Structure formats: C-alpha cells, structure tokens
Amino acid sequence: MKISYSPYELKLKYPFSISGYSRTSTPLLLLEIFHEGFTGYGEASMVPYMGERVETASAFLDKIDPSSLKYPFDYEQITSMLDGIEKGNPAIKAALDIALHDLQGKIEQKPCFELLGADKHAMPVTSVTIGIDTPGVIIQKVKDAAFASVLKIKLGSADDKALINTIRSVSDKPLYADANQGWKDRYQAIDMVHWLHEQGVEIIEQPMAKEDRDGNAWVTERSPVPILADEAVQRYADMEKIKGAYHGINVKLMKSAGMYEAGKMIRRARELDMKILIGCMSETSIATLAGAALAPLCDWADLDGPFLTANNPFKDPDFSEGKWVLSEEPGLGLGKR
Ligand code: MG
C-alpha cells in the first residue's frame, strides 16, 4: 500500500453562516491509496469548528505505516490502530477509511453500497441547505435549489421566524431545520418546535447545547417532530450517551471517522429504535458518494456538498428526482471531470 495526499481549498458558492459564525471556503485533504494497480480515493473535509487542519491531518498521516493496511481490510482493527496513534482527528481517519472502501470495491469489483449491505433503490431524497442570509439572498438561494425536493434551514438566531416566513413566501416544499444548539432554553425551544411543525418542518436537529442532555430530552419528549442529535453525537461510543434523549441521530462521515463506523452507528440506532439522518460537511464528490452509499440504510439524507460548493474537482454524481443515483461501478463510482 502506498498513500499520497494533497491539500485542496473547496470554495463555497455563498459564504456559509450558522449561528455566530461564517466562512467562504473549507480546507480539504484529498487522499489516494494505491494497491496492486488499483487506486482508492478519500477525502477529509476539515470545517474549522471541528478542530482539524491540513497540518494536523498531514502530521497524522506521517505517523501511519502504510504496510499496516493489509487487504482484506479488517476495519475494526484498522479503526483501533488509528485511534491508538492519536485520539480525535476523525476527518483524516474518515479520508483513510473512505479510500480503503473505494479500494476494496475496486479489488472485489463491487460498488461500495453493496459492500455495506445497502439497496441503492432505497435511496432517500437529499435536502439542500439554505444558509442564513439577507431575505433577498435567501429567496435567490431557494430559487437556485429548484431541483431539490426538500430544503434544510439553519436556525438558532433571533430571526428564526422571519427566516422561515421568507422561505414560505416563495416555497411550500417540506423543510428540515437545524437549530445548531442555538436555542437558549427548553421553553423557547419547544415553542419554536411547535411553530416549526405548523410551518411544515419535518425534522429538527440539535435544539440546544450538546451538553444539555436533560433539556434536549425534555424537548424530545414533547415534540411532534423528530428531534435529532448532531453535535451531541460524533462517534459510535457517543451512542450510549445520547440514547433516550433524542428521537434520532445525524451521522456524518467526518464525525464518525468514516464509513465503517457510520455503518456501526446506523445499526446501533436501529437497535435503539432511533431514526437516522445522514449528513455531510462541505465535501466533493468523494465524500458525497461515500455518504450516498450508506444513505439507503437511513431515513433521511442531507448530502448537499456538491450543490453548495463552486470547485468540486470531480464529476458531480448523478442526481434525479431529488435523489443521488448510485452507479454499478466498483468502489465509490467516482467520475473524473
Ligand atoms: Mg447540524
């Protein structure tokens, strides 16, 4: 096995704003693993609030002995080996895991969704995020997203109702909402949940601070809409901490350290009778296809990276009737531009 990698600055079509924070690009590390004539592609998307950078990711890769990655891949063993090198660093771990899955698919001549036990015909629609902005820009964003059948709205500011009203002035599509821990107390949160329910919002992510398990559980208990943990659940071990406090989880490859552990989290969520949204960061086609390979195992998808970015270096995956369309190509099915 041989690993090579290079940094890449993924530019956003619009500045990305959530409560209290804004940016115009996302640092990536694009990675390739070579083995017996095959190449597996992986990607780390390092959104600044998660704490990883190109420097931390390349320093992590320098500590890996490529000969320790042996085919057939034992992902449980590889995960504990990587966690043993350093805790944290889930995005660069995800890049390695995604590349290994792509490589495995190519070696075995199977698409990744088949390796993961997913039925590509069970693909859920994917939402497209409309970021916080001025009313004029929001209306333009909603028009740009005419191809989407569901919109996702970032909330958690003082203007949540005005934002939803602006969207409702131009669209009656179903909405997913993400409060990003922005609501300050359980009474404000439950008022907003009921109001959003009346506005056609179908799921709500992370109403309050991730540390406030009791507050989020109180809202979940009273909510007519599924309440999902996002910031409160990163990796598999977190599943036991959040069970009972939310209706479901938002699983993301850049939090879970890749496809293998995301699959474990999905199976554990099913055992706990919890719902699953598969989400993403700002990502190219690599991580989008990796998420899409798992999406048929989930209830909802929010895999909108290629729609929100301006310089995806790869071919956009096929998209039809609001859904990603997976190919029968071995591995991820990544196409060159
Ligand atoms: Mg979220």
Side-chain angles (χ1 to χ4, degrees), residues 152 154 178-180 205-206 230-231 250 252:
K152 181 169 163 182
K154 298 284 192 179
D178 186 354
N180 278 114
E205 272 176 55
Q206 204 64 59
D230 182 3
E231 286 82 352
N250 181 344
K252 294 177 185 162

Side-chain angles (χ1 to χ4, degrees), residues 226-277:
I227 302 290
L228 310 182
D230 182 3
E231 286 82 352
V233 60
Q234 312 272 328
R235 295 196 58 180
Y236 180 77
D238 298 323
M239 294 294 294
E240 302 311 305
K241 298 180 206 157
I242 56 101
K243 70 179 182 191
Y246 301 85
H247 296 114
I249 57 168
N250 181 344
V251 58
K252 294 177 185 162
L253 301 179
M254 297 300 144
K255 295 190 300 180
S256 71
M259 302 165 81
Y260 171 70
E261 195 156 317
K264 269 174 73 172
M265 292 172 76
I266 290 167
R267 289 190 293 279
R268 183 66 184 137
R270 292 298 180 211
E271 286 168 10
L272 295 168
D273 204 20
M274 293 178 87
K275 299 277 192 185
I276 305 138
L277 167 71

